Amino acid sequence: MLGAGMAWAMAPVLKELPPASDAEDRGARAAEHFNAHPYLAGLAMGAMVRLELDGEAPDVIRRFRDALRGPLGALGDQLFWAAVRPAAILLALALAVGGLPPWAVVAIFLLSYNGPHLIVRGWGVHVGLSLGRQVGDAIARADLAAVARRVVVSGALIMGLLSGALFALAIRPEAGVGGEAWRLALPAALLFLWGWHRGSAIRRWVPWIGVIAVLGLLLLGPPPPAS
């Protein structure tokens, strides 16, 4: 899957190395099957280049490469597919409902999604090339799973604010996009911070908060038409 791309990226280094003592071609070995997340594959690629430069045996490089596939695939899916991408989409939708110009919404979406993965790609190649076999320690220190959880929480907050604003627009369509619908943003953010601080201790209050919110929106509905 990613093997051909990794071999192409490693080619400038591999062709400068002296001929291998074994009969196996380094480029062919680099192009073997490699299934991981594309945004984290640079960690493995950089580490394999370091092992090639250090003259490690082909079977050592192959075992190391195989050991990285599963963890990098799982971490990448968790961080980018399940966290960064949904959060970036929700942010763009929230900004659109807030009345931001379409071009600005598109620009912010592209930056909020592409910026993180381009930074991680560059970091991965650098760390892999610098640490080689010890690249696992860098992955553990980065704690990408914890980063993914924080991004998911941020996306959930945006989702709550967006849902409240859309509900308010449904109740009071005359408020318009970017208008009174966003009065819910501040109380929603305060409720989120309260829940974040108290955790499950406030679960008995959640149904009452929902009832109060719905009644408040209904009471603030559009006035009856003039006779």
Side-chain angles (χ1 to χ4, degrees), residues 1-122:
M1 294 185 181
L2 301 177
M6 294 181 69
W8 180 84
M10 294 169 64
V13 176
L14 297 181
K15 69 181 182 181
E16 297 298 329
L17 294 176
S21 57
D22 57 276
E24 189 174 19
D25 180 76
R26 291 190 181 99
R29 182 167 64 240
E32 291 176 0
H33 176 263
F34 187 79
N35 181 23
H37 196 281
Y39 297 169
L40 294 181
L43 280 162
M45 186 192 70
M48 287 189 294
V49 169
R50 172 48 53 193
L51 294 182
E52 293 283 3
L53 292 173
D54 292 344
E56 294 285 354
D59 59 332
V60 172
I61 298 175
R62 186 173 283 108
R63 287 198 302 269
F64 179 80
R65 171 195 182 102
D66 292 342
L68 285 177
R69 290 188 302 185
L72 293 182
L75 281 173
D77 289 350
Q78 184 179 2
L79 177 58
F80 292 102
W81 294 165
V84 173
R85 183 168 60 182
I89 293 172
L90 287 170
L91 176 62
L93 290 173
L95 295 174
V97 172
L100 213 63
W103 66 266
V105 172
V106 172
I108 291 174
F109 167 73
L110 293 175
L111 288 173
S112 61
Y113 176 69
N114 291 301
H117 82 73
L118 290 174
I119 292 172
V120 168
R121 287 184 181 208

Side-chain angles (χ1 to χ4, degrees), residues 72-187:
L72 293 182
L75 281 173
D77 289 350
Q78 184 179 2
L79 177 58
F80 292 102
W81 294 165
V84 173
R85 183 168 60 182
I89 293 172
L90 287 170
L91 176 62
L93 290 173
L95 295 174
V97 172
L100 213 63
W103 66 266
V105 172
V106 172
I108 291 174
F109 167 73
L110 293 175
L111 288 173
S112 61
Y113 176 69
N114 291 301
H117 82 73
L118 290 174
I119 292 172
V120 168
R121 287 184 181 208
W123 167 81
V125 174
H126 172 74
V127 167
L129 189 58
S130 301
L131 300 181
R133 286 193 186 190
Q134 283 71 48
V135 71
D137 297 335
I139 297 173
R141 287 194 302 270
D143 200 357
L144 297 178
V147 174
R149 288 192 295 272
R150 288 194 290 270
V151 175
V152 168
V153 169
S154 302
L157 172 59
I158 298 171
M159 182 66 185
L161 297 176
L162 178 61
S163 300
L166 293 174
F167 187 36
L169 279 173
I171 297 296
R172 302 192 65 187
E174 77 281 1
V177 173
E180 296 181 20
W182 283 100
R183 287 183 179 180
L184 290 180
L186 179 59

Side-chain angles (χ1 to χ4, degrees), residues 158-214:
I158 298 171
M159 182 66 185
L161 297 176
L162 178 61
S163 300
L166 293 174
F167 187 36
L169 279 173
I171 297 296
R172 302 192 65 187
E174 77 281 1
V177 173
E180 296 181 20
W182 283 100
R183 287 183 179 180
L184 290 180
L186 179 59
L190 293 176
L191 287 171
F192 173 84
L193 293 174
W194 182 36
W196 179 273
H197 177 66
R198 298 299 303 277
S200 61
I202 66 164
R203 62 181 179 271
R204 65 180 180 274
W205 295 101
V206 172
W208 295 106
I209 293 171
V211 170
I212 292 170
V214 171

